[in-house]
Amino acid sequence: MQHNIFTTMRSLKLVDGCKGTQVYAVNTNPAATNATATTTTTAPPPPDEYLHPHHHHHHNHSRVNSSNSNSLRSKSNIQFTSFSVSDNLLPYGLPIADLIEPPIEPYIKSLDFVETLAELYRRLRYSISEDKSGIFLEQSSLFRGLSDPKLLRRSLRSARQHAFDIERREDELVGSSSVDCGGGRVIECPTASLLSGYDPESVYDSCPCRRPDNNSPSFLESEEECCSSTSDEDGDLSFIIGEDEIRCFRFKIAGLSTPLKTMLYGGFTESRREKINFTHNEISVKGMRAVEIFSRTKKLDSFPPQIVLELLHFGNKFCCEEMKSACDSHLSSLVCNLDDALILIEYGLEEMAYLLVASCLQVFLRELPRSLYNSDVMKLLCGPDARERLNKVGHASFTLYYFLSQVAMEEDMKSNTTVMLLERLGECAEEGWQKQLALHQLGCVMLERKEFKDAQHWFEAATEAGHSYSLVGIARSKYKRGHKYVAYKQTSSLIGDHKPLGWMYQERSLYCNGKEKMMDLNSATELDPTLSYPYKYRAVVLVEENKIGAAISEINKIIGFKVSPDCLELRAWFSILLEDYEGALKDIRALLTLDPNYMMYHGKVHGEYMVELLRKHVQQWSQADCWMQLYDRWSSVDDIGSLAVVHQMLANDPGRSLLRFRQSLLLLRLNCQKAAMRSLRLARNHSSSEHERLVYEGWILYDTGHREEALAKAEESISIQRSFEAFFLKAYALADTILDSESSSYVIQLLEEALRCPSDGLRKGQALNNLGSVYVDCDKLDLAADCYVNALNIRHTRAHQGLARVYHLKNQRKAAYDEMTKLIEKARNNASAYEKRSEYCERDMARSDLSMATQLDPLRTYPYRYRAAVLMDDHKEAEAIAELTKAITFKPDLQLLHLRAAFYDSMGNSLSTIRDCEAALCLDPNHADTLELHKKAQDRVNDSLQTK
């Protein structure tokens, strides 16, 4: 490759400390699970669950070790000194309570979340189009704390829809260029994002561009010579550069800009000369010939990049706006990779070329997170004059640094890169929430870096900017600096001054001991059962008391509905204490699936090392044994156990894309969206054939909200080779809408085609289950029953739920109840089964089942809605509101908010109705029932004001 004039740009100095060492903390903040259900204002039946592997609307978490934890209790009185555990399995002894404290969440956190949502909706409703992007971005920062990937994705897509500048993260797909479009939507197209014009209504239109030729050389390799001839006839003006003479047309050159017109036709001496000396005007002979050609043709296609760069400089110097714009656009289209971008961005910044800089930045963004480890990129983004240089060309935005800093924090909270990006973020912050976020996140990072004085400073600044949650950061920083009582007093004041929330009590528990600490932790769990720290602490204390079985039962409570690496690590730790090496190995394999780089024992030992140690203590399985084990765990709805088996199979066969795909299905069922997407990308990258790759790309598109593009991938795959997975993907994507009879028939046909193709029992059972669901929707109950029975015959246990639904629709409630009981008995995860069984029994038994469902999984919203509806039927309005409020506090769900708004409306409380409706509409602005309820309440308030 010839570097020629561009090689000078490679001598940029490195940014000190940009490549921070990766540090893995024990405390993680995994995505919480979310479940939705049908909207109703009376006591409704629980929602039907299709239980598709890729269905995001319900979760099916595994309650692992529930069967053997009782037997472990009998061993809990054994003294640790009697254990025969080798030192290398427990090199750091027991878990230490002080080292499992929860992190300060690096998000915007409101003390009144519902009111904040309502206020955001009002601002969006009445804002002009140009302001919407910023409000949606603010909304997304609030949604990050909800751990709901769908809400966050919808908010970010809305922000992009209304944004003038589009930024997108690299998709980590091997073989795909960071500038590839793929023929999707305009909003996803890197080329379309650089075009002038702004139409938020057309961003989801199909993109007209086509993928460039992958064999085309980089612009650095382009050596074509520009045309040396001027025209068919001689010009009337010559520019002299050294010994060369370039003939031009005076009026054409004058037409390039007002300064050139003034020079050539004004009162200057050049207007009277036929030859003008241009030797010292920083342009080469080839460059000036290109100026002449452009003056006549207005085209740049025949010129190599070096000449276009000269034209860009010439256009800047002589104010040739048309030429400069053409050069800017042309050069921006040449940026194909990170090397090109690093060279060209320097020219773009120097020449104020907006599109060129945008194109280079776009490559940096789409190459994330890898580009964060490139010192040249970091110098451009974080150097001493970086913000000033980017700002001059219109690209030093809060949005840019918000995105970069978010990625950096996910990569390594403690790195210098993260600190520098957050500092730039703070410099770009203008609105109140932006300053709060930047300052608060700087506090979080400094706390992780153990720079407690600086952490306190930033948290105090964030609090002064209006972020009340940062008070917790101040307290934590003071505690780390030795002021425990001050921290306790400050947190107590927070609880006293505001409506108490679970995280407030969790925080105060860090600053007290004994019974008082346990009381605060219990209060935290009661107010917010999704907080993992109280379960972890109680479990560690039980271990210290030699009650290991009870400790495992305690940690099982949170793992049962919210799977995270830190909780799996603790359970593995406890299992090693009991010499249950199989149980420990299972949990470590599962946590490594969630986080392949996880460091155990408070960040001291890599999880993979522990796998190797534990393998020596358990029976070894062949790949055939693993398949049998996977069938057993899959059929018992043991998702964590299934993950562990797949992890072992991948260790033996890391390039097997089918196993990566199975892994993604399990992770989605556990609501581990980020890990699931990573597995899907790896499945795609390891595909052994084109038709297989297309299927996995289709699932990636579907899971990121691109249904039509997913269908196109499925159809392309089928055109190459008919396969189970391609037909299944197409049927699944089509079924993700309200189906009419014709569409349902087509989905049935596709699933039948899938079943005719080779596959294994795990997927055949899933297809039969889905087919049964479509038959039920079409009121073909006998055919549905046949599908479910056939699925059960190949051990697809979840089909019990579909069969129960068939019995219920046939008015055979006892048979339906018995069928769900079978599922409860077989499945490790049975919260959803208890919830569903409640539909098939009397009120008292239904209450019992729903109480069990809430106990096993407090994130399931239907039980709260059912209980609240029953209370309203019994005219216990205050208790009904309290039941919903309890859940809304830790899970502000659309259905819960809508139902509470309906209750307030029936009680005549229009202002509360409007607030809850607005909060619900912030989550889903198109929810028809809520829109209708909101209008009715608003009309009532308006009528009341007019009457007064």
Side-chain angles (χ1 to χ4, degrees), residues 804-805 807-808 812-821 840:
R805 184 182 176 204
Y807 287 138
H808 175 64
Q812 301 173 19
R813 293 189 64 185
K814 176 64 166 60
Y817 182 90
D818 292 343
E819 202 65 35
M820 290 308 302
T821 301
Y840 311 135

Side-chain angles (χ1 to χ4, degrees), residues 791-863:
L792 289 171
N793 287 338
I794 53 176
R795 300 172 64 189
H796 188 79
T797 307
R798 298 167 189 269
H800 281 297
Q801 182 161 312
L803 191 55
R805 184 182 176 204
V806 170
Y807 287 138
H808 175 64
L809 293 171
K810 289 184 174 184
N811 295 317
Q812 301 173 19
R813 293 189 64 185
K814 176 64 166 60
Y817 182 90
D818 292 343
E819 202 65 35
M820 290 308 302
T821 301
K822 293 177 186 177
L823 179 57
I824 289 171
E825 291 169 350
K826 290 181 182 180
R828 291 288 187 94
N829 163 45
N830 46 28
S832 63
Y834 276 110
E835 180 183 291
K836 186 66 179 176
R837 191 175 72 170
S838 68
E839 180 184 348
Y840 311 135
C841 52
E842 301 303 323
R843 177 179 284 195
D844 289 342
M845 293 179 68
R847 283 179 175 176
S848 176
D849 275 356
L850 291 174
S851 177
M852 180 62 72
T854 297
Q855 181 181 331
L856 296 175
D857 184 355
L859 285 169
R860 303 191 75 84
T861 61
Y862 171 72

Side-chain angles (χ1 to χ4, degrees), residues 874-906:
D874 293 340
H875 305 290
K876 298 178 180 178
E877 290 88 354
E879 293 176 49
I881 294 292
E883 179 69 23
L884 294 173
T885 301
K886 178 171 63 177
I888 288 170
T889 300
F890 63 86
K891 185 175 174 58
D893 173 80
L894 171 67
Q895 310 292 351
L896 292 171
L897 286 165
H898 174 80
L899 186 56
R900 192 172 72 171
F903 287 176
Y904 277 129
D905 185 65
S906 68

Side-chain angles (χ1 to χ4, degrees), residues 205-379:
D205 292 349
S206 296
C207 179
C209 81
R210 290 292 178 264
R211 186 172 298 187
D213 183 5
N214 290 332
N215 296 320
S216 61
S218 164
F219 82 90
L220 293 174
E221 298 172 303
S222 177
E223 293 293 337
E224 61 178 295
E225 296 291 328
C226 59
C227 181
S228 59
S229 62
T230 55
S231 63
D232 293 337
E233 54 183 303
D234 292 335
D236 56 355
L237 173 69
S238 293
F239 288 95
I240 308 299
I241 299 177
E243 302 296 325
D244 293 282
E245 178 178 338
I246 301 95
R247 293 293 289 175
C248 305
F249 292 97
R250 183 181 294 269
F251 80 96
K252 290 288 186 181
I253 298 296
L256 291 175
S257 73
T258 300
L260 287 173
K261 182 178 181 181
T262 303
M263 180 183 75
L264 297 175
Y265 286 107
F268 296 96
T269 57
E270 286 84 356
S271 64
R272 298 184 295 275
R273 291 180 179 175
E274 184 180 340
K275 296 184 178 182
I276 300 173
N277 192 337
F278 247 48
T279 302
H280 303 293
N281 272 288
E282 300 176 340
I283 190 167
S284 68
V285 173
K286 289 182 179 179
M288 198 62 216
R289 284 175 179 153
V291 170
E292 189 280 327
I293 294 172
F294 181 85
S295 72
R296 291 184 288 106
T297 66
K298 308 300 182 184
K299 293 181 180 179
L300 301 170
D301 297 342
S302 62
F303 307 134
Q306 297 93 326
I307 297 300
V308 180
L309 285 170
E310 284 198 67
L311 292 182
L312 176 64
H313 180 71
F314 182 92
N316 246 339
K317 185 172 184 178
F318 291 98
C319 303
C320 306
E321 293 304 322
E322 184 181 14
M323 177 186 289
K324 179 182 175 182
S325 178
C327 292
D328 191 6
S329 179
H330 181 77
L331 288 168
S332 70
S333 70
L334 299 180
V335 184
C336 296
N337 53 53
L338 194 60
D339 289 336
D340 294 352
L342 281 168
I343 296 170
L344 280 176
I345 195 170
E346 288 292 346
Y347 289 94
L349 291 168
E350 186 70 25
E351 302 296 343
M352 305 290 286
Y354 176 85
L355 285 180
L356 178 56
V357 174
S359 185
C360 295
L361 287 175
Q362 189 167 236
V363 170
F364 296 163
L365 296 176
R366 292 164 69 94
E367 290 286 343
L368 288 169
R370 288 193 292 270
S371 56
L372 288 177
Y373 298 98
N374 186 302
S375 57
D376 291 337
V377 173
M378 283 300 101
K379 179 171 183 177

Side-chain angles (χ1 to χ4, degrees), residues 35-54:
T36 58
T38 52
T39 307
T40 180
T41 56
T42 60
D48 295 314
E49 290 193 316
Y50 287 78
L51 294 170
H52 301 320
H54 273 273

Side-chain angles (χ1 to χ4, degrees), residues 649-721:
M649 296 170 79
L650 281 167
N652 300 330
D653 190 3
R656 189 78 181 276
S657 59
L658 174 63
L659 292 174
R660 295 286 182 188
F661 181 56
R662 291 284 192 278
Q663 194 177 65
S664 74
L665 304 180
L666 290 161
L667 289 165
L668 281 173
R669 286 217 300 243
L670 293 168
N671 206 41
C672 301
Q673 304 278 342
K674 185 177 179 180
M677 189 57 63
R678 181 178 63 242
S679 293
L680 260 181
R681 285 170 177 154
L682 288 170
R684 181 266 186 200
N685 293 343
H686 286 98
S687 298
S688 58
S689 64
E690 177 71 6
H691 73 87
E692 186 182 25
R693 179 183 64 80
L694 288 166
V695 169
Y696 299 143
E697 287 182 357
W699 279 119
I700 291 170
L701 288 164
Y702 178 82
D703 289 336
T704 51
H706 300 80
R707 178 177 163 274
E708 291 181 11
E709 288 82 355
L711 280 170
K713 292 287 183 180
E715 290 168 357
E716 187 178 353
S717 179
I718 291 169
S719 70
I720 298 172
Q721 180 172 320

Side-chain angles (χ1 to χ4, degrees), residues 382-499:
C382 298
D385 59 347
R387 178 172 170 266
E388 181 182 352
R389 295 181 75 198
L390 287 171
N391 197 44
K392 284 181 179 178
V393 75
H395 288 296
S397 66
F398 176 86
T399 306
L400 171 67
Y401 284 105
Y402 181 26
F403 181 46
L404 290 166
S405 60
Q406 186 66 36
V407 177
M409 290 174 70
E410 290 179 6
E411 283 291 294
D412 184 0
M413 272 289 268
K414 302 177 183 180
S415 73
N416 291 337
T417 295
T418 303
V419 174
M420 290 188 293
L421 288 170
L422 285 173
E423 288 174 344
R424 300 295 86 74
L425 180 71
E427 292 169 2
C428 292
E430 296 179 354
E431 299 180 32
W433 75 270
Q434 295 176 348
K435 294 175 183 177
Q436 292 172 22
L437 179 68
L439 296 168
H440 178 75
Q441 290 188 333
L442 271 169
C444 292
V445 168
M446 293 304 173
L447 195 65
E448 287 290 315
R449 289 162 63 101
K450 301 187 186 304
E451 299 175 22
F452 302 126
K453 187 175 181 180
D454 286 341
Q456 182 179 333
H457 163 75
W458 293 117
F459 283 130
E460 287 173 344
T463 303
E464 290 175 9
H467 191 228
S468 298
Y469 176 63
S470 294
L471 288 167
V472 170
I474 298 173
R476 189 78 67 92
S477 302
K478 289 180 177 178
Y479 167 62
K480 293 296 184 181
R481 298 178 69 196
H483 307 298
K484 185 174 181 178
Y485 177 70
V486 174
Y488 176 85
K489 195 172 180 181
Q490 187 166 342
T491 314
S492 295
S493 177
L494 183 65
I495 293 172
D497 294 343
H498 303 277
K499 179 183 177 182

